Amino acid sequence: MKERRKRKGVVSWNALFWCTLLLVVTSIFFTTTFFFSPFDLQLSPLPFISETPTTISQPTITIRETVILPDQALIFLNYPPSFRFHTKHDLLCLYFSADSTNRITQPPIQLHFARLREQIVRCKLPPRGNSVSLFIKSDGVLPTKDSSTHPWTPLVYEALFDRDNTTIVFVKGLNLRPERFIQPSTLNCIFGWDFSKPKFFLKSDVISGAQEIIRCNTPKSVIIGQEQSQSIKVTIKERDREIFPSIARPGLRPRYSNKSTKKAHEICICTMLRNQARFLREWVMYHAKIGVERWFIYDNNSDDDIEDVISFLQRIGYNISQHLWPWVKTQEAGFAHCALRARSSCKWVAFIDVDEFFHIRVNGDLSRMIWHHAKPGQKVGEIRILCFSFGPSGQREVPREGVAVGYTCRLSGSERHKSIVRPEALNQTLINVVHHFHLRAPFVSVDAEKRKIVINHYKYQVWEVFKEKFYRRVATYVADWQQAENVRSKDRAPGLGTKPVEPPDWPNRFCEVRDNGLKNWVLKNFLDRRSHLLPWQPEFQNRIRKRRRRKDKTQRIVLGKNLF
């Protein structure tokens, strides 16, 4: 009896085997049926959605908008905060058409950093009937679905918040005449994110307008949220016309500078250039010697590696900033833009080109010349200085010593003038004609004494350099060299015509007076007595590098001897 009760509590091996086998077969059958049944497509996926984590779209680089200029395309990129900026070698400009599978790629002309997380890519113009996008070599094609493409005109292309709670708007396509005002009541400024939705517009009154520059009141809500609303745009609307297309998002207001506070720099220079990198060293070094402390370089679509030259000058101590200004024939607007940027840090700003040099004919530097013509209390807001145009001076190749030493023969009479301006004295319209500005009351302009200071304008250089002028003029109201307009203007070369064909007597033209004044001053103050080189010559830089290498080598040898 006791043995029988014991057996009832024990499962036989035979029963255990069959139970296990049944369990395995059932599991295999269930698994096979669930995963491979032909009817599983009819099952609703809803029960599994709650088990799958929600997919979050990853931030990507996007094309904000594209502007088609007469000779190139500008593509504006937005970068998420965590992304590194691409280099020129990471990208390709991509050209395609809607009805073709053929795609063409080309390297970009240049890349430029804009504000915050933005970058501007310059590409060659797309072929007729094609669109342009970008191809990132590591990630593929950037979509253009949500971006806008604008022709160059009409377009609101730049804007700045000014410190008096106004907004400066730069517009192409108003077609206003030079130095003429516009009736403010015929325009409105419009702020918003999407100009196709009138419900979200903020309209404001225009205070003044002239040439390509419109000044309007900034809405209070925009002022309050200025730092947070970096994506807000501004445009204009003429009476009985559609809203102008716009890519302009105003920059932050310059910090207000109390009049009693001394400016950081006494004298600055603003210039606009294109492909002048090889002349920049001499121009900067020379003007630093006579008292210029800060340079604002507005780059009008250079493709000659000007960034390398500016970086070199920055490394050796010159205070230079490069600002991309790609807009075609907008020099007056660019100078107004630069005057606003320089106002907070510069007491005086000169507006000259890279082929123009202040020539001080008496003892003293540029600061002394300014003081002489604009003594305190006289309310002088602008000093106008005569320009004398130099010719090729018999040269057939670019002078190795630079323009000031290489070109010494000029026309006898002066041509035009250029100005040194107090930014605080400018009229609210910011009207200028490149050579001078309009001032607000009570400020006045004065003419500099030519026996004390003039400008050497190396206008007619060797043909290799001069023919670059035929590409395009930067001033809005000056006809290009190829156009048969204003052929007798002082902005042209007398008797040259409209084609870039070198006249046989070019090296000897425009030579009426031998003028060695600036040449002698440069040789006295810059020539290295050991090498007989000037500091902007490439050979001089090579000698400096060799000296440094020898010095470093000597120091290492001495250090090694001391260690042992």
Side-chain angles (χ1 to χ4, degrees), residues 371-410:
W371 182 88
H372 176 78
H373 292 92
K375 294 182 176 66
Q378 293 183 344
K379 294 298 181 182
V380 173
E382 181 181 58
I383 303 169
R384 298 180 179 182
I385 303 169
L386 290 176
C387 301
F388 287 87
S389 296
F390 282 69
S393 307
Q395 303 277 3
R396 296 181 182 274
E397 297 180 353
V398 177
R400 294 173 58 254
E401 304 86 354
V403 298
V405 173
Y407 300 117
T408 57
C409 203
R410 62 170 173 83

Side-chain angles (χ1 to χ4, degrees), residues 86 121 168 211 223 267 273 319 349 372 438 472 511 552:
H86 286 297
V121 184
I168 313 298
Q211 299 179 174
I223 295 172
I267 307 171
L273 55 76
N319 191 346
V349 182
H372 176 78
H438 285 209
R472 184 171 47 242
C511 183
D552 292 343

Side-chain angles (χ1 to χ4, degrees), residues 297-526:
I297 308 294
Y298 274 54
D299 179 11
N300 193 223
N301 298 323
S302 297
D303 53 18
D304 61 349
D305 297 323
I306 189 174
E307 293 84 1
D308 296 339
V309 177
I310 291 177
S311 295
F312 165 77
L313 290 169
Q314 289 170 336
R315 287 196 303 272
I316 61 176
Y318 294 99
N319 191 346
I320 305 176
S321 61
Q322 180 185 8
H323 182 82
L324 176 65
W325 188 265
W327 318 119
V328 175
K329 292 187 75 67
T330 59
Q331 188 176 19
E332 296 89 340
F335 278 3
H337 190 278
C338 188
L340 290 174
R341 288 183 63 213
R343 182 180 55 191
S344 62
S345 60
C346 303
K347 184 176 180 180
W348 291 91
V349 182
F351 293 86
I352 62 173
D353 297 332
V354 176
D355 61 355
E356 295 172 332
F357 287 61
F358 287 111
H359 178 195
I360 301 172
R361 291 173 159 178
V362 294
N363 292 331
D365 58 9
L366 197 55
S367 179
R368 183 177 178 83
M369 291 299 103
I370 292 174
W371 182 88
H372 176 78
H373 292 92
K375 294 182 176 66
Q378 293 183 344
K379 294 298 181 182
V380 173
E382 181 181 58
I383 303 169
R384 298 180 179 182
I385 303 169
L386 290 176
C387 301
F388 287 87
S389 296
F390 282 69
S393 307
Q395 303 277 3
R396 296 181 182 274
E397 297 180 353
V398 177
R400 294 173 58 254
E401 304 86 354
V403 298
V405 173
Y407 300 117
T408 57
C409 203
R410 62 170 173 83
L411 297 174
S412 58
S414 61
E415 290 185 339
R416 304 286 192 185
H417 60 262
K418 288 295 179 75
S419 297
I420 305 176
V421 175
R422 284 186 64 183
E424 304 287 350
L426 300 185
N427 183 287
Q428 70 171 0
T429 64
L430 301 176
I431 282 184
N432 67 87
V433 288
V434 177
H435 304 93
H436 61 259
F437 281 80
H438 285 209
L439 306 178
R440 64 180 176 88
F443 290 98
V444 297
S445 62
V446 297
D447 295 327
E449 300 175 42
K450 66 178 182 180
R451 65 183 181 85
K452 292 183 178 295
I453 182 172
V454 296
I455 289 176
N456 282 15
H457 184 186
Y458 299 102
K459 182 177 180 179
Y460 309 112
Q461 299 187 33
V462 295
W463 186 257
E464 174 193 340
V465 175
F466 182 82
K467 68 180 180 181
E468 291 291 327
K469 293 180 180 288
F470 280 84
Y471 178 74
R472 184 171 47 242
R473 308 297 286 273
V474 292
T476 308
Y477 302 101
V478 177
D480 289 340
W481 292 86
Q482 305 96 318
Q483 297 174 339
E485 299 179 18
N486 301 325
V487 292
R488 295 184 179 180
S489 168
K490 292 182 179 179
D491 290 304
R492 291 182 175 272
L496 184 62
T498 60
K499 298 185 182 299
V501 178
E502 181 180 4
D505 61 341
W506 180 258
N508 299 311
R509 284 194 176 190
F510 318 110
C511 183
E512 296 175 351
V513 176
R514 283 287 173 186
D515 186 343
N516 292 306
L518 192 56
K519 171 185 176 179
N520 294 335
W521 192 93
V522 166
L523 292 176
K524 178 181 178 181
N525 289 274
F526 284 100

Side-chain angles (χ1 to χ4, degrees), residues 146-197:
D146 297 324
S147 66
S148 303
T149 299
H150 305 283
W152 169 221
T153 181
L155 185 68
V156 175
Y157 57 92
E158 290 276 358
L160 280 175
F161 289 127
D162 205 359
R163 64 193 186 192
D164 59 354
N165 293 337
T166 62
T167 301
I168 313 298
V169 183
F170 299 89
V171 189
K172 197 70 176 176
L174 281 175
N175 300 320
L176 302 180
R177 297 178 66 183
E179 298 189 271
R180 296 290 181 88
F181 298 94
I182 192 172
Q183 184 60 249
S185 61
T186 63
L187 296 174
N188 278 117
C189 282
I190 299 175
F191 295 79
W193 287 270
D194 185 351
F195 296 127
S196 65
K197 298 177 180 178

Side-chain angles (χ1 to χ4, degrees), residues 119-137:
Q119 194 175 49
I120 301 174
V121 184
R122 292 165 47 205
C123 295
K124 293 181 180 179
L125 279 180
R128 185 180 296 274
N130 279 246
S131 300
V132 60
S133 183
L134 289 174
F135 181 86
I136 301 178
K137 294 177 182 179

Side-chain angles (χ1 to χ4, degrees), residues 190-208:
I190 299 175
F191 295 79
W193 287 270
D194 185 351
F195 296 127
S196 65
K197 298 177 180 178
K199 290 183 179 180
F200 301 102
F201 284 175
L202 288 173
K203 289 187 178 181
S204 72
D205 294 332
V206 169
I207 299 172
S208 67

